[in-house]
């Protein structure tokens, strides 16, 4: 006889054997809820993440830069779509997910509530924000939930192009005129700490990490990934002659990694709770984009209804 205990045993056996849980497999309610929460927050971050950069498409300094930025922002829309689709396999509809975003019930990454003031911010976002995203997301390609892990494979390939285009912008500016170098340094100063916050609260206070790691949704803790990001990024800054804005940053021979200064978690909480520099602006832009897209959704549903009507007529003929 199938009991909850036997279903649970099978679930954990699958997880421990590094096999994937698929949409029709039995899964504990909390596993499903955690996935819906994380995947939808991730999807929302992708589409809100289009806004700070979308802002610069018309002001990119050359046609080549404009093409690359346009492609990057379009990729982010695509990532949102894969992720919403992955989330839908868990039995929750896209309208419901978007509604949660639009009514402020769902979170999206803190990083997208900061302003993009100069062109160098496009470089800093690509280099640091996409760099942090890759560090966090490559392990998600091995996540135990099949649809999420497969979506992440493609997302990560595109993120690595984004990171390189950002670092290339920073390299060009850092090797340019004094003003350009200062612009690059200023962008690094403003984006460094918010990028470290992207990895989430310290392990000692992270609410979900322990269970998410048991379920192999997360493979590494927030602090482990943040440390790896710092260790990867400091030499990249040095290579192009920029300075990480942290007087306490120091290589620690024993741990073979950098020690770094304290993160301002009060700022993080303010931003996550809706009081960052651009929270209101981002939500207003998202709501407007959704309202402006109403005719597209109507046209798509009318087309789908006509198609299914003519298919059923063909079947009965
Ligand atoms: N911002 O227990 P914890 C991208 C929340 S990249 C806002 O550690 P978890 C992109 C967390 O949701 C950005 N909220 O949670 C890049 C939880 O709140 P709730 C998106 C945050 O889930 C370039 C609470 O704090 N990436 O999209 O185990 C261009 C406690 O945290 C943040 C992803 O979403 C934050 N930074 O770990 C365009 C990757 N950090 O839900 C787009 C997938 C934490 O209890 N997500 N919180 O109310 C993850 O890997 C994990 O969800 C996190 C957090 C590491 C972010």
């Amino acid at each position: 006889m199938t009991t909850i205990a036997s279903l649970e045993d099978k679930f954990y056996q699958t997880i421990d054997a590094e096999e994937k849980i698929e949409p029709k497999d039995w899964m504990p309610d909390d596993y499903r809820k955690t996935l819906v929460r994380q995947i939808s927050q991730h999807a929302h971050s992708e589409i809100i993440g289009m806004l700070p950069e979308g802002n610069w498409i018309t002001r990119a300094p050359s046609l080549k830069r404009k093409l690359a930025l346009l492609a990057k922002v379009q990729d982010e829309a695509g990532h949102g779509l894969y992720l919403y689709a992955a989330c839908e396999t868990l039995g929750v509809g896209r309208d419901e997910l978007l509604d949660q975003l639009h009514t402020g019930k769902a979170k999206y990454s803190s990083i997208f509530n900061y302003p993009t003031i100069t062109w160098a911010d496009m470089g800093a976002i690509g280099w640091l924000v996409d760099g942090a995203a890759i560090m966090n997301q490559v392990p998600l390609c091995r996540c135990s939930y099949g649809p999420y892990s497969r979506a992440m494979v493609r997302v990560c390939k595109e993120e690595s192009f984004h990171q390189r285009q950002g670092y290339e912008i920073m390299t060009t500016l850092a090797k340019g005129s004094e003003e350009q170098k200062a612009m690059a340094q200023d962008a690094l100063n403003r984006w460094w700490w918010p990028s470290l916050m992207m990895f989430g609260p310290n392990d000692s206070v992270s609410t979900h990490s322990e269970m998410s790691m048991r379920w192999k949704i997360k493979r590494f803790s927030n602090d482990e990934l943040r440390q790896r990001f710092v260790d990867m990024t400091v030499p990249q800054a040095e290579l192009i002659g920029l300075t990480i804005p942290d007087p306490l940053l120091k290589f620690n021979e024993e741990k073979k990694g950098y020690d770094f200064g304290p993160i301002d978690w009060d700022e993080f909480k303010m931003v996550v709770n809706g009081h960052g520099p651009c929270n209101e602006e981002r939500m207003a832009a998202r709501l407007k984009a959704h309202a402006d897209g109403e005719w597209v959704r109507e046209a798509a549903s009318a087309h789908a209804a006509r198609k299914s009507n003519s298919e059923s007529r063909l079947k009965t003929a």
Side-chain angles (χ1 to χ4, degrees):
M1 195 182 81
T2 314
T3 61
I4 294 288
S6 67
L7 288 168
E8 213 165 53
D9 277 353
K10 166 104 182 18
F11 169 82
Y12 280 107
Q13 274 164 22
T14 309
I15 301 262
D16 292 341
E18 295 289 334
E19 285 164 14
K20 300 292 176 209
I21 304 293
E22 296 297 340
K24 290 195 173 140
D25 294 342
W26 183 89
M27 61 186 85
D29 276 351
D30 285 345
Y31 176 81
R32 186 186 297 274
K33 270 193 210 140
T34 296
L35 282 169
V36 169
R37 181 187 61 79
Q38 177 166 327
I39 303 173
S40 63
Q41 285 176 2
H42 193 167
H44 301 328
S45 304
E46 295 286 353
I47 61 167
I48 297 278
M50 296 167 72
L51 299 170
E53 291 171 294
N55 198 17
W56 274 90
I57 292 171
T58 54
R59 291 178 288 167
S62 70
L63 182 62
K64 193 184 106 188
R65 294 290 187 208
K66 186 169 180 156
L67 281 172
L69 187 60
L70 192 60
K72 178 182 193 290
V73 173
Q74 283 174 342
D75 285 350
E76 281 150 12
H79 298 174
L81 290 181
Y82 315 148
L83 290 164
Y84 284 122
C87 208
E88 283 176 309
T89 65
L90 290 156
V92 41
R94 192 168 309 192
D95 287 349
E96 192 183 332
L97 296 172
L98 283 173
D99 198 51
Q100 287 169 1
L101 173 65
H102 296 156
T103 53
K105 276 191 220 130
K107 289 197 167 94
Y108 60 87
S109 182
S110 50
I111 192 78
F112 301 115
N113 293 306
Y114 290 86
T116 42
I117 302 167
T118 69
W119 171 250
D121 289 5
M122 296 305 97
I125 290 184
W127 174 34
L128 303 174
V129 176
D130 288 83
I134 296 172
M135 193 55 82
N136 165 272
Q137 292 171 19
V138 166
L140 292 174
C141 299
R142 293 192 293 120
C143 157
S144 57
Y145 187 57
Y148 191 28
S149 75
R150 290 188 286 273
M152 291 318 298
V153 172
R154 179 144 172 204
V155 170
C156 285
K157 285 198 178 133
E158 292 171 351
E159 296 290 19
S160 78
F161 150 67
H162 298 169
Q163 196 271 352
R164 288 169 67 122
Q165 72 87 39
Y167 189 57
E168 206 258 330
I169 293 175
M170 290 304 259
T171 307
T172 307
L173 292 173
K175 295 195 183 316
S177 65
E178 277 308 307
E179 285 90 343
Q180 286 171 320
K181 185 167 181 186
M183 198 195 277
Q185 182 63 53
D186 170 62
L188 170 57
N189 294 349
R190 284 181 290 106
W191 289 93
W192 176 252
W193 292 104
S195 298
L196 296 193
M197 293 173 195
M198 281 176 72
F199 294 92
N202 288 130
D203 294 351
S204 54
V205 287
S206 160
T207 341
H208 305 288
S209 282
E210 197 182 332
M211 260 339 274
S212 287
M213 287 177 71
R214 171 64 190 101
W215 285 325
K216 298 190 180 169
I217 295 172
K218 280 166 92 161
R219 296 287 178 152
F220 300 99
S221 75
N222 299 354
D223 287 335
E224 281 172 318
L225 292 172
R226 188 168 15 246
Q227 181 69 52
R228 285 181 187 202
F229 173 73
V230 172
D231 294 343
M232 177 190 79
T233 312
V234 174
Q236 294 173 349
E238 282 169 358
L239 192 67
I240 57 174
L242 296 180
T243 309
I244 302 283
D246 179 357
L248 297 177
L249 187 77
K250 193 166 180 291
F251 193 74
N252 179 329
E253 284 296 342
E254 236 168 81
K255 75 171 185 191
K256 298 270 173 267
Y258 286 87
D259 290 333
F260 50 94
I263 292 173
D264 184 349
W265 292 114
D266 290 337
E267 175 181 321
F268 173 77
K269 279 184 207 136
M270 286 246 301
V271 175
V272 172
N273 291 327
H275 309 296
C278 296
N279 294 59
E280 280 179 24
E281 188 183 327
R282 299 289 179 248
M283 280 317 291
R286 171 90 277 278
L287 288 169
K288 181 175 183 313
H290 191 69
D292 290 349
E294 182 62 35
W295 70 272
V296 180
R297 291 188 294 279
E298 270 174 17
S301 333
H303 177 72
R306 250 185 52 195
K307 208 166 150 229
S308 83
N309 273 348
S310 56
E311 274 167 9
S312 55
R313 269 205 305 276
L314 275 177
K315 271 190 203 142
T316 48

